[in-house]
Amino acid sequence: TSVVGEIRGYEQENKSATLFPNFGIFGGSGKFIKLAYTVRNDNKYPVSVFFPAGTIFKSTNLEYQHGILLQWTWFCVPANSERTVILYLYCVNKGRNNSDATNTYHLAGKTSSKPVLELLNLLKLKMINYEFFKHLKSSSADAYDYDVISEKMQQALWALTNDGTEIPAELKAYISELPELDKEKVPAQMLDANAELEVYLDEYTEE
């Protein structure tokens, strides 16, 4: 697979699937950074694109926030086709501008920050992503409101990256009570860092 065009901030809020499967697929979580990411698959078979927890997207303009994924997200690209996803990311730089369509980003690998890695370990297998709740229409999405989840995860991250403190105990308790993903439906590397990634893995559903 290959990235098509620039990775640019996304501003529209229309989450309809009218252009499915080529557009409008949302993944990740967070409120302040939304990026449009287009991938081309020239293979004769469908493939999956994976973004591990801790993946960082850096802004090309330092007046804007850098973004990070706190949980794995993945999506499928049909054979000989393109697909655009909107990645929701958490802000690493409190006080800088939110993403918008005037700004571009580049993929900058995974975080090596020990405090952030400890947060990722707390979140391992936790259902915090938008797509895990079937676009907020499921019973679990009602029980664990997505807006609340993303707000609390941002608070936990900023405690580490901006305040230089530990994650508050009440946030750790909240994280521990979040529902977990089905281990049978997630990438092998989520469970074993030495495992190989699948060529194709179905997008996550609760069914």
Side-chain angles (χ1 to χ4, degrees):
T1 60
S2 57
V3 178
V4 178
E6 297 176 313
I7 304 172
R8 186 171 290 275
Y10 180 79
E11 295 184 60
Q12 298 182 38
E13 291 297 333
N14 180 12
K15 298 182 178 64
S16 72
T18 55
L19 296 177
F20 183 85
N22 295 318
F23 192 79
I25 309 304
F26 291 73
S29 61
K31 291 184 176 181
F32 300 118
I33 303 177
K34 302 179 184 71
L35 305 183
Y37 189 99
T38 302
V39 173
R40 175 75 191 173
N41 175 21
D42 288 321
N43 295 300
K44 297 180 180 180
Y45 48 85
V47 299
S48 294
V49 177
F50 299 92
F51 295 101
T55 297
I56 295 173
F57 288 83
K58 284 193 173 182
S59 169
T60 56
N61 182 337
L62 295 184
E63 293 182 358
Y64 288 78
Q65 305 163 0
H66 301 317
I68 187 171
L69 282 167
L70 295 185
Q71 185 55 281
W72 280 72
T73 189
W74 65 97
F75 62 96
C76 305
V77 186
N80 298 307
S81 64
E82 290 182 6
R83 196 172 193 185
T84 297
V85 296
I86 308 305
L87 294 174
Y88 281 39
L89 307 173
Y90 287 99
C91 164
V92 181
N93 317 97
K94 187 177 183 179
R96 296 188 189 178
N97 295 334
N98 297 346
S99 62
D100 62 42
T102 69
N103 193 42
T104 58
Y105 291 75
H106 67 273
L107 187 59
K110 291 177 63 178
T111 183
S112 59
S113 165
K114 185 176 179 181
V116 176
L117 290 173
E118 291 175 353
L119 172 59
L120 298 182
N121 188 54
L122 290 176
L123 291 171
K124 186 175 183 179
L125 288 175
K126 293 297 184 180
M127 293 180 67
I128 65 171
N129 286 7
Y130 184 89
E131 72 273 20
F132 295 156
F133 294 115
K134 294 177 66 176
H135 294 240
L136 311 188
K137 294 181 180 179
S138 68
S139 58
S140 59
D142 293 336
Y144 294 90
D145 183 83
Y146 171 77
D147 286 337
V148 175
I149 291 175
S150 59
E151 181 178 346
K152 289 184 179 295
M153 296 308 100
Q154 185 65 75
Q155 291 173 1
L157 181 62
W158 274 342
L160 303 175
T161 62
N162 286 79
D163 301 335
T165 62
E166 295 185 353
I167 301 170
E170 60 269 22
L171 286 179
K172 287 185 177 180
Y174 177 83
I175 290 171
S176 70
E177 295 298 323
L178 289 171
E180 294 195 344
L181 299 162
D182 185 338
K183 293 181 180 180
E184 300 297 321
K185 299 179 180 180
V186 302
Q189 277 190 14
M190 283 188 72
L191 306 175
D192 179 359
N194 296 316
E196 291 188 10
L197 282 173
E198 297 84 351
V199 173
Y200 180 88
L201 180 68
D202 286 336
E203 292 166 7
Y204 193 88
T205 66
E206 292 182 290
E207 297 175 350

